[in-house]
Amino acid sequence: MTQKIYYLGIDVGTGSARSCVIDADGNFLAQDVEPIRLHNPRHDIYEQSTTDIWRAICKSTRVAVAEAAVDPKDIKGIGFDGTCSLVVLDKSGNPASVDEDSHFEDNDLNLILWADHRAVDQARRINETQHEVLRYVGRTISPEMEIPKTLWLKENLPEAKWNSIGHLMDLPDFLTYRATGSLARSTCSLTCKCSYLPQGVGQGWDASYFEAIGLKCLIEEKWARLGGIEGGDGQVLTAGDPVGQGLTDQAAEELGLVPGTPVGSAVIDAYAGAIATTGASASADERKRMLAALDKSLYEQGTHRVAIACGTSSCHIAMAPQDIYVDGVWGPYRSVMVPGMWHAEGGQSSTGQLIDHTLNTHPSIGDARKQADAEGMNIYAFLNRHLETMRQKRGFAYIEDLTRGMHIYPDYHGNRSPLADPTLRGMIIGVSLDRSIDDLATRYLATLQAISCQTRHIIESLNSKGYKIDTLCLSGGLCKNPIFVKLHADITRCQVILPDRIDAAVVIGAAFLGARAAEPDTSLWEIMVRLGKAGQVIQPSTDPNIITANEKRYRVFHEMLKDQKKYRAIMDGLP
C-alpha cells in the first residue's frame, strides 16, 4: 500500500492567519483563512497579539486539515512563514507589552508590526554611524526592521520592564518556538531583520555595531534575548531545517496534529512566496529538465527571476550566486532562502494598503460598493469593468489614455527601496472637484500604474548593479487583479509568471518548508523545483503606443520624485 504523504503550510500575514495542505507532488488540497486583530491607534503605530495569532493558526489548521480530508498522522512536515514583526516575551516566555498607550501594561499587545514606524529616529541614528554592518542592508537600515525597534524599546520602556524581557524575536521564529519549544532562530529572520552576519559573511553578531548604536547591553548578555551565539547557547538554521524535536504535545493538541511532526525553520512571508514561485515550472517536461540539472537551473533560471509578494506591502526577492551591493535595497543576504545563494530584498511599504486608501478616501466609494454588491462583484472587478466602459464611451484606444492627466507618486508610507527614505510621502497630480465613480476609477488606475512604476524603479536599480532580471514571479492577493498584473508586465517590460494557485502561493511556500523538514537531506531548491507549479504567463505589450505611453508615465514618476525633494529643500531654506 502506498504511503500517504501530505505537508502543512501556515502563513501569518498582516490581517490573517492561513493554513493549507498539499500532497507529496505539491498539489493543493485545501486551505482556511482566519482573521487576526490589528491595533492601529495612530498612522505610525501598529500592534498585534501573538495569543490572538496562535488562536487563529489553531483554528485555520483544524479547518484546513478537515477540509482536505487527510489523517493528521499522514502530515509529515509543517512549515511556517510570517511578517517581519518584532515579538516580545518575558523570561518565562509569556507576552510582554509593547503598547506605550497602556504604559506598557497591556501584555496582550506584545508584537510591533512590520508597518510600525515608531523607530524612525532610532533608524536615523543607527544609519548615522555608517557602520560596516549596514553595508548588508543597502547602507540604510529601515525602521521596519527589528534592531531599530529594539532600540526604541530600550529607550522608552521603564527600566524594570526592559530588564524583564527574556526574548526578542522575529515573528517567524516565534511561530516555530510556539510549535516546538525550541529557541532556534532562522537565518532568514536574523540576517534580514536583526543585523546578523551569517556564516560566509561574518561571525554572527558584531559587537562593535551594537555598541555603536546604543545596545551594548545585548553584548554583555551575549545576545541571549536575540537568540544567543551560534555554537554556544544559540542555534541558527537555514530554511526548512528541522526545528527541535518537532511539534510539542501541547502544540499538537492545540493544532489537532501529531506530536513530533517535523517542523521546518521558518522564513519571512515574502520569502515563502519566492519559495513557491521562483523554481516553478509550467510543464512536466520543463520540471524534468530542471531536476536533471539542478545547479544549472538555479543559476540560469533562478537568477533571472524576481519573486514579488504583493499584499498589504510588496517585497521583491532576487537571487545571485555572488554578493551584489545595491544602495537602498536590503541585502545582499547570504543563505536566507537557498543556502549558498545571495539574496536581495527590495520592497514597497504600501501597495495593497495604498490601493485601499485610494478607494476608501474617495467620496464615491460608498456608491461604488453598493453597485458592486448589487451585481455580486468585488470592488476591484467592478472598477476594472468601469474603466473599460469609460474607455469605450470616450473613444479611447487604451485604458491608459484615461490617466493621461493624472499621476500618483506612491510613497504614502515612505520609501522602502530603492531610496530607503521613510520620510518621503505620496503625491497626486490632476485632481479636480469631480466626486463621481469615474474619478474614483481614474484614481484607482493611476494608483496601480504608480505601484508598477515603482516596481520598475526597483528592478532597474538591481539590474544596474549586475542582476539580470527579466521575469516577475508574482504571488499574493493583488495578482488576482488582471489590470495590476498586466501593468506590471507592460511598465517593467518583463514577463510575468503567476502561480498555479494565486490565492495560496505564499502559504504553499510555507508547506514546502514542511517538505524540507520531512526530507532534511534534500536541497530546498530541489523541493522548490519538484513541487512548484506555475500558472498563466503574461508577456509585456509590443504595441508601440502602449510602450510610449508607459515610458512617458515613468518619466513623470521620476519628475514627481525630484519635485518633492525640490519643494522640501525650498521649505527647509536650502539654496
Side-chain angles (χ1 to χ4, degrees):
M1 183 177 178
T2 304
Q3 183 183 19
K4 296 179 180 179
I5 297 176
Y6 305 100
Y7 305 114
L8 176 72
I10 297 172
D11 160 57
V12 179
T14 299
S16 63
R18 182 185 306 257
S19 299
C20 90
V21 180
I22 64 172
D23 67 16
D25 295 319
N27 296 308
F28 172 92
L29 299 183
Q31 72 168 332
D32 182 65
V33 183
E34 298 296 333
I36 54 178
R37 297 196 304 269
L38 175 63
H39 182 62
N40 176 212
R42 292 179 296 286
H43 74 94
D44 58 346
I45 301 295
Y46 293 83
E47 298 167 346
Q48 289 181 320
S49 161
T50 56
T51 301
D52 179 59
I53 288 170
W54 189 253
R55 171 204 59 76
I57 286 171
C58 293
K59 183 176 180 181
S60 68
T61 295
R62 287 178 174 272
V63 172
V65 171
E67 290 188 357
V70 302
D71 191 321
K73 69 178 176 56
D74 292 327
I75 294 176
K76 302 302 181 183
I78 304 167
F80 289 92
D81 76 77
T83 62
C84 48
S85 302
L86 181 63
V87 174
V88 182
L89 306 175
D90 66 18
K91 289 180 170 60
S92 299
N94 298 314
S97 180
V98 300
D99 182 49
E100 189 174 24
D101 290 350
S102 70
H103 304 288
F104 303 105
E105 294 297 331
D106 186 352
N107 289 326
D108 193 50
L109 293 172
N110 71 313
L111 179 151
I112 304 177
L113 192 71
W114 63 268
D116 188 291
H117 278 195
R118 71 183 70 189
V120 167
D121 183 60
Q122 285 73 18
R124 177 189 57 79
R125 286 186 274 125
I126 292 172
N127 289 323
E128 287 175 351
T129 69
Q130 298 182 27
H131 196 281
E132 186 66 12
V133 166
L134 299 176
R135 186 180 182 216
Y136 295 96
V137 288
R139 299 193 182 278
T140 307
I141 202 166
S142 168
E144 296 177 6
M145 293 180 175
E146 312 309 10
I147 297 306
K149 289 173 179 173
T150 296
L151 183 57
W152 185 93
L153 289 172
K154 181 180 182 298
E155 293 176 345
N156 288 275
L157 280 170
E159 184 177 4
K161 287 190 177 293
W162 167 257
N163 291 335
S164 71
I165 292 175
H167 308 283
L168 296 160
M169 54 179 66
D170 203 32
L171 177 59
D173 288 339
F174 167 80
L175 298 176
T176 57
Y177 162 70
R178 186 64 178 78
T180 69
S182 170
L183 288 169
R185 299 299 208 271
S186 63
T187 300
C188 186
S189 280
L190 287 191
T191 303
C192 295
K193 306 303 171 187
C194 301
S195 300
Y196 184 84
L197 303 181
Q199 292 181 11
V201 179
Q203 301 301 315
W205 307 112
D206 187 312
S208 66
Y209 169 74
F210 282 88
E211 183 168 5
I213 68 174
L215 286 172
K216 185 178 179 180
C217 57
L218 297 181
I219 306 171
E220 295 168 349
E221 66 186 41
K222 298 182 179 180
W223 295 276
R225 281 186 266 196
L226 292 176
I229 298 173
E230 185 178 13
D233 59 349
Q235 185 182 22
V236 182
L237 305 174
T238 59
D241 284 349
V243 181
Q245 302 302 311
L247 284 184
T248 63
D249 290 348
Q250 178 186 347
E253 181 178 356
E254 292 167 342
L255 294 164
L257 301 174
V258 177
T261 302
V263 173
S265 182
V267 296
I268 297 162
D269 51 359
Y271 287 87
I275 287 169
T277 60
T278 308
S281 52
S283 70
D285 287 343
E286 183 184 13
R287 183 179 299 109
K288 185 176 180 180
R289 288 194 300 270
M290 292 174 67
L291 287 171
L294 284 168
D295 286 346
K296 181 180 179 181
S297 66
L298 174 60
Y299 295 140
E300 292 185 358
Q301 180 165 312
T303 59
H304 283 261
R305 295 182 170 190
V306 61
I308 308 179
C310 312
T312 304
S313 65
S314 291
C315 289
H316 307 65
I317 310 298
M319 288 194 297
Q322 72 279 4
D323 51 332
I324 300 175
Y325 298 85
V326 184
D327 287 351
V329 173
W330 299 341
Y333 299 138
R334 189 174 188 272
S335 299
V336 297
M337 186 172 75
V338 177
M341 294 290 283
W342 294 79
H343 305 76
E345 182 182 342
Q348 295 160 279
S349 291
S350 184
T351 47
Q353 182 186 52
L354 176 58
I355 297 167
D356 288 343
H357 176 81
T358 297
L359 302 189
N360 293 334
T361 57
H362 196 279
S364 71
I365 185 60
D367 289 340
R369 289 194 187 280
K370 286 179 182 178
Q371 292 184 34
D373 290 345
E375 297 188 58
M377 304 174 71
N378 67 55
I379 188 62
Y380 310 107
F382 173 81
L383 290 173
N384 290 351
R385 188 186 68 181
H386 193 84
L387 286 168
E388 177 58 22
T389 300
M390 289 172 63
R391 182 196 68 78
Q392 293 177 14
K393 285 183 177 179
R394 298 182 187 184
F396 291 153
Y398 314 98
I399 65 166
E400 284 84 354
D401 293 328
L402 295 169
T403 51
R404 280 183 295 190
M406 181 170 286
H407 301 270
I408 288 175
Y409 184 77
D411 285 334
Y412 284 52
H413 198 53
N415 183 280
R416 187 183 296 170
S417 57
L419 305 173
D421 185 350
T423 69
L424 285 173
R425 289 296 176 259
M427 303 167 68
I428 182 168
I429 292 173
V431 179
S432 72
L433 297 177
D434 190 349
R435 299 168 60 88
S436 70
I437 292 177
D438 282 2
D439 186 70
L440 169 63
T442 304
R443 291 198 199 192
Y444 160 73
L445 176 58
T447 302
L448 299 185
Q449 290 168 322
I451 292 169
S452 301
C453 284
Q454 191 164 69
T455 296
R456 175 170 168 176
H457 193 194
I458 293 167
I459 292 168
E460 287 185 347
S461 299
L462 291 166
N463 286 346
S464 71
K465 296 298 184 180
Y467 283 92
K468 302 175 182 178
I469 296 163
D470 57 21
T471 301
L472 314 183
C473 298
L474 301 188
S475 62
L478 293 182
C479 59
K480 291 187 284 188
N481 186 332
I483 293 182
F484 177 89
V485 172
K486 192 65 171 71
L487 286 172
H488 270 70
D490 290 347
I491 290 175
T492 66
R493 309 302 304 151
C494 294
Q495 73 169 349
V496 171
I497 299 177
L498 295 179
D500 181 53
R501 291 288 309 207
I502 290 175
D503 60 336
V506 174
V507 72
I508 288 173
F512 288 9
L513 298 175
R516 171 87 210 300
E519 304 176 36
D521 294 329
T522 303
S523 74
L524 180 60
W525 178 249
E526 180 176 343
I527 286 172
M528 289 165 63
V529 174
R530 194 180 78 210
L531 302 185
K533 290 178 171 55
Q536 185 182 6
V537 178
I538 297 93
Q539 299 295 339
S541 174
T542 58
D543 186 323
N545 295 313
I546 293 288
I547 294 171
T548 298
N550 286 328
E551 289 302 311
K552 290 178 179 177
R553 179 165 295 278
Y554 188 56
R555 179 182 172 187
V556 172
F557 171 87
H558 281 286
E559 292 298 322
M560 291 176 75
L561 172 60
K562 291 177 186 177
D563 285 343
Q564 180 170 163
K565 292 181 176 180
K566 180 174 69 176
Y567 303 154
R568 285 190 174 189
I570 291 171
M571 297 307 295
D572 290 341
L574 299 177

